[in-house]
Amino acid sequence: MSAQQVTVWELRCDGCNELLDDPEYGSTMVAESVDRIREIGAGQEWSQDGDTDLCPSCTCARVGHDRQPSITGSFVYCGRCSETLLTATAEPKAAFL
């Protein structure tokens, strides 16, 4: 048996230090390239602001929520971070007052 050195990449949010999880492999590490892990992040609505990598919540904190109506129309939620923003009565959640 022999050992082989492998370079792996992980993506942490520069805003809150959240670690990206690759849902395909259930791992926080990607061996292919830094571009590949950023591609995975883009699929989960991670963004880059210059050299800063931001998770969906920190992207929302910086640029605002991506408001989307639910299928039933009873809720408005963020399409980026999936936070529920408004209830059926259109009352904003306390966190967004």
Side-chain angles (χ1 to χ4, degrees), residues 2-94:
S2 63
Q4 181 179 355
Q5 183 175 349
V6 177
T7 301
V8 295
W9 305 90
E10 66 180 16
L11 187 62
R12 286 190 182 272
C13 177
D14 290 320
C16 69
N17 212 33
E18 179 181 332
L19 190 60
L20 174 87
D21 184 43
D22 178 359
E24 185 177 346
Y25 298 107
S27 173
T28 60
M29 297 178 286
V30 170
E32 296 159 31
S33 70
V34 70
D35 291 332
R36 174 65 182 136
I37 200 162
R38 285 208 169 105
E39 181 182 315
I40 294 166
Q44 296 182 27
E45 300 293 339
W46 282 58
S47 65
Q48 272 192 287
D49 183 6
D51 292 331
T52 302
D53 293 300
L54 298 171
C55 71
S57 295
C58 288
T59 298
C60 290
R62 187 166 292 192
V63 300
H65 287 289
D66 175 22
R67 294 171 179 260
Q68 301 288 324
S70 70
I71 295 171
T72 63
S74 59
F75 295 97
V76 174
Y77 69 97
C78 178
R80 187 179 300 112
C81 71
S82 300
E83 179 71 42
T84 301
L85 305 175
L86 300 175
T87 65
T89 59
E91 292 292 323
K93 288 181 62 178

